[in-house]
Amino acid sequence: MTIDTEEWEVLVNRKRSAEDLRSHRWYGVQDLRSFGHRSRTKQMGYATEDYRGKPVIGIINTWSDINPCHAHFRVRAEEVKRGVWQAGGFPVELPAMSLSEPFQKPSTMLYRNFLAMETEELLRSHPLDGVVLMGGCDKTTPALLMGAITMDLPAIFVPAGPMLRGTWRGQTLGSGSDVWKYWDEKRAGVISEREWEEIENGIARSPGHCMTMGTASTMTSAAEALGMTLPGASSIPAADSNHARMASMSGRRVVEMVFEDLKPSDVLTEGAYDDAVTTVLALGGSTNAVIHLIAMARRSGVPLSLDRFDEMSRSVPVLANIRPSGEFLMEDFYYAGGLRGLFIRLKAALNLGRPTVSGRTFGENVAGAEVFRDEVIRSLEDPIHPEGGLAVLRGNLAPDGCVIKHSAADPRLLRHAGPAVVFDGYDELARRVNDPSLEVDESSVLVLRGAGPLGAPGMPEWGMLPIPEKLLRKGVRDMVRISDARMSGTAYGTCVLHVAPESHAGGPLALVRTGDLVELDVPNRRLELLVDEAELERRRAAWEPPKPYYGRGYGAMFARHATQANEGCDFDFLAEGPPVPEPEIH
Ligand code: FES
């Protein structure tokens, strides 16, 4: 599959002239301030001809030396600039927080709203007419889009693209999924230290985000389904030369979008969000998408709820045969036809008439797409799972809901009742879970609390609780696990996640005791703590709220303003409120 420039050429419907540009207020008027803006632009080596009357295009680049998923973004930003220059724009690159999933602690989720706020304010405070958003590593995609949605300047998203397949001794390795798998094999004594080191050398071979259907692939695909990328952009591997060409095309296209005045609010309709949910479900995508899409939809004024995910999940089959729900990786998906191939299969369920950043409708973007390998992108008649991969559960243990990726769970456990083994926070889990004296067997339900948005804090991806070593040695590879945490999209198992309200906020998870019977019933969407209400009331009365984790700084702000998982974990003051006025230029 290649990227065909001709195919994307559209007639630019110019609604705006140079004088209408937002940047004209900085550059075009004749006063003391604009003299400063022009002379300072010249200080950087640009001539008047470089910027006069041209749309100023911000390139928000989440490159950093410590984000391997964005290692190619320095070069890609130059390729975006090439496109902007070619189309008659003036590119300016603005660095932003990189949200490096493997390195940033306690969790990049703590900082998603930080990048969203940074994006919004970068756009607002600079003389920008349009923006290219460069992201891909997990939270960067929703964060950049959330900020751009609120600021509502013409915006196009350049996804980082997946890294190449991992390899080890002739086998294919997938990010995350195979780390957990072989870590369990190592703990069970099945593979050696040397083999484990070989896996370390072979699992991440190129720039790009995780190449399983983790949060990164899920959210970049969702961005494309929303209509915020050029057609086919999200599936191109980072190392493929098509990726560089897609970057420069995006630069060219955003200049046209400025003259067309095509903004996120024109693209991100209710139909667009429904199509993003359909796509996530058909991909067997990450549970994290639930939180992020709800947060993004709220910014767009679209009422997307947990229940909408569940409703759609009952009719959308999983078609993408990608790990952890399936067997292939994103590189295979690209060669098999990529996301446009999946869209062709889902065509009847999609809203094809809506606008996208390409300047064409979603249906026009998809037209002509083909599937080249049916085993990678399955047909509707031969799905991986007949239902979508996500289920939303409720019950007295999760009154505001929780989610499970049942396509990645052991089917035998989807209806299960067992005694709880409770861990208060990750430190206690790490200390006790492998203790040979821990009273646990394969019927137990492992419960982790204090791991939610406020409790952890930042809702880390601790939701795939480790199986106790003594059970691993007996051959146990899955158990029911429940938490108020999130789970990596590359993880798997019978893990109930995002329990809301979280325990730190006084949710019922705070009341569970070791030995209590917990019942999971995915077919009926229930999660119940089988303890009578009078006893729960006694425990509730005795419960004391934990002390705040942060006394100052960004963490304290997060604790005061982050909403619960079912509401998208956005800051209350970012999700709502009156429009912020344009800055005065004095
Ligand atoms: Fe960046 Fe997985 S670590 S996407």
Side-chain angles (χ1 to χ4, degrees):
M1 183 183 162
T2 58
I3 293 296
D4 183 348
T5 321
E6 296 293 308
E7 210 178 286
W8 290 347
E9 276 182 1
V10 288
L11 269 183
V12 181
N13 173 17
R14 285 201 172 212
K15 291 184 183 163
R16 306 167 88 197
S17 66
E19 287 71 39
D20 299 327
L21 296 175
R22 184 173 179 267
S23 60
H24 187 75
R25 297 173 61 224
W26 274 262
Y27 280 116
V29 291
Q30 292 303 328
D31 64 9
L32 184 62
R33 278 288 156 229
S34 59
F35 167 85
H37 302 144
R38 289 191 296 268
S39 65
R40 291 299 180 157
T41 303
K42 285 174 176 160
Q43 182 183 7
M44 295 184 284
Y46 295 109
T48 307
E49 295 70 32
D50 287 329
Y51 64 84
R52 184 168 56 195
K54 294 183 174 181
V56 182
I57 304 298
I59 300 167
I60 299 202
N61 190 352
T62 50
W63 174 89
S64 92
D65 252 336
I66 199 158
N67 190 340
C69 307
H70 298 176
H72 54 316
F73 269 2
R74 263 187 166 169
V75 178
R76 290 291 176 274
E78 294 306 315
E79 287 148 354
V80 171
K81 286 180 196 171
R82 188 174 73 212
V84 172
W85 284 121
Q86 284 169 344
F90 177 48
V92 286
E93 186 178 342
L94 299 132
M97 188 189 263
S98 171
L99 298 187
S100 176
E101 192 64 30
F103 292 99
Q104 214 163 344
K105 308 295 177 197
S107 160
T108 52
M109 186 63 190
L110 184 69
Y111 297 104
R112 183 201 65 179
N113 296 348
F114 190 112
L115 177 58
M117 197 157 61
E118 185 183 11
T119 301
E120 181 183 335
E121 298 306 329
L122 281 172
L123 299 185
R124 176 174 294 117
S125 57
H126 289 95
L128 303 177
D129 300 301
V131 62
V132 178
L133 307 162
M134 299 182 63
C137 188
D138 287 19
K139 318 302 179 291
T140 53
T141 303
L144 290 165
L145 287 169
M146 285 160 72
I149 289 166
T150 301
M151 194 50 203
D152 208 25
L153 294 180
I156 194 165
F157 185 73
V158 170
M163 66 176 101
L164 299 176
R165 296 184 199 101
T167 66
W168 174 60
R169 295 189 175 199
Q171 293 181 50
T172 298
L173 295 175
S175 333
S177 307
D178 280 317
V179 178
W180 325 126
K181 178 177 147 188
Y182 287 108
W183 177 240
D184 279 353
E185 298 302 325
K186 180 173 172 288
R187 290 199 301 144
V190 177
I191 66 164
S192 67
E193 276 296 339
R194 170 154 180 87
E195 287 170 312
W196 179 240
E197 198 180 318
E198 288 170 6
I199 291 170
E200 183 179 304
N201 295 336
I203 199 162
R205 300 191 299 126
S206 82
H209 60 68
C210 292
M211 72 318 230
T212 39
M213 189 46 66
T215 305
S217 303
T218 305
M219 289 310 301
T220 54
S221 300
E224 182 172 336
L226 285 166
M228 291 300 293
T229 73
L230 288 180
S234 67
S235 312
I236 308 169
D240 193 304
S241 64
N242 282 291
H243 195 272
R245 285 154 50 208
M246 177 272 291
S248 59
M249 281 178 210
S250 301
R252 283 199 291 278
R253 176 64 197 141
V254 75
V255 176
E256 297 171 351
M257 287 171 63
V258 170
F259 286 117
E260 293 167 2
D261 199 23
L262 181 60
K263 303 184 294 298
S265 56
D266 301 312
V267 172
L268 298 172
T269 57
E270 199 163 340
Y273 280 101
D274 267 359
D275 288 347
V277 174
T278 300
T279 303
V280 167
L281 294 169
L283 288 168
S286 163
T287 43
N288 288 321
V290 179
I291 297 177
H292 298 318
L293 284 173
I294 287 175
M296 289 162 61
R298 287 183 164 219
R299 295 279 189 119
S300 297
V302 169
L304 180 63
S305 68
L306 271 185
D307 294 329
R308 185 72 180 137
F309 279 86
D310 194 64
E311 188 187 321
M312 295 181 71
S313 178
R314 291 173 191 262
S315 61
V316 178
V318 180
L319 299 183
N321 191 2
I322 304 176
R323 299 182 199 184
S325 295
E327 57 184 300
F328 296 99
L329 294 173
M330 285 300 286
E331 193 180 341
D332 308 295
F333 183 65
Y334 177 59
Y335 302 142
L339 196 61
R340 289 175 74 237
L342 185 89
F343 290 152
I344 277 289
R345 294 263 147 108
L346 293 168
K347 214 171 156 191
L350 299 172
N351 297 287
L352 299 171
R354 61 190 173 80
T356 71
V357 297
S358 73
R360 296 178 172 192
T361 64
F362 188 38
E364 287 167 336
N365 290 346
V366 173
E370 290 178 66
V371 173
F372 306 110
R373 283 184 75 189
D374 285 334
E375 69 269 41
V376 180
I377 304 174
R378 297 280 193 89
S379 65
L380 292 172
E381 296 72 38
D382 181 30
I384 301 286
H385 294 278
E387 276 192 14
L390 301 177
V392 175
L393 317 174
R394 288 179 201 274
N396 70 347
L397 200 44
D400 291 338
C402 58
V403 302
I404 183 169
K405 184 174 184 172
H406 54 105
S407 61
D410 184 337
R412 289 176 307 115
L413 292 171
L414 296 179
R415 252 198 181 122
H416 177 86
V421 178
V422 179
F423 302 97
D424 272 307
Y426 197 82
D427 287 348
E428 189 189 314
L429 172 75
R431 207 171 53 246
R432 289 180 52 222
V433 73
N434 293 323
D435 184 339
S437 66
L438 182 71
E439 287 193 26
V440 64
D441 65 27
E442 53 269 52
S443 74
S444 302
V445 172
L446 303 182
V447 174
L448 172 66
R449 63 188 172 206
L454 308 179
M459 207 180 178
E461 294 183 334
W462 295 339
M464 191 175 85
L465 279 68
I467 308 281
E469 265 174 25
K470 65 179 179 184
L471 298 181
L472 278 176
R473 287 201 198 91
K474 282 171 62 185
V476 177
R477 290 294 184 271
D478 197 3
M479 295 174 72
V480 174
R481 290 159 269 182
I482 298 172
S483 72
D484 42 16
R486 294 176 304 115
M487 177 173 90
S488 165
T490 62
Y492 52 84
T494 312
C495 302
V496 177
L497 309 158
H498 311 178
V499 169
E502 64 173 306
S503 62
H504 191 93
L509 204 61
L511 310 180
V512 187
R513 290 185 184 165
T514 291
D516 287 349
L517 213 54
V518 175
E519 185 176 35
L520 170 69
D521 182 354
V522 176
N524 289 306
R525 305 301 199 249
R526 304 296 302 164
L527 182 68
E528 302 286 351
L529 178 59
L530 303 180
V531 173
D532 71 65
E533 191 45 46
E535 169 61 16
L536 288 180
E537 201 41 60
R538 270 193 294 280
R539 293 182 193 179
R540 199 171 286 120
W543 181 77
E544 285 187 20
K547 290 198 176 68
Y549 195 89
Y550 292 108
R552 61 170 297 283
Y554 174 76
M557 183 169 89
F558 184 93
R560 269 197 291 277
H561 295 288
T563 56
Q564 289 290 289
N566 58 309
E567 299 175 307
C569 299
D570 201 356
F571 289 158
D572 48 10
F573 65 89
L574 292 178
E576 292 168 4
V580 178
E582 279 280 335
E584 295 292 337
I585 302 177
H586 299 306

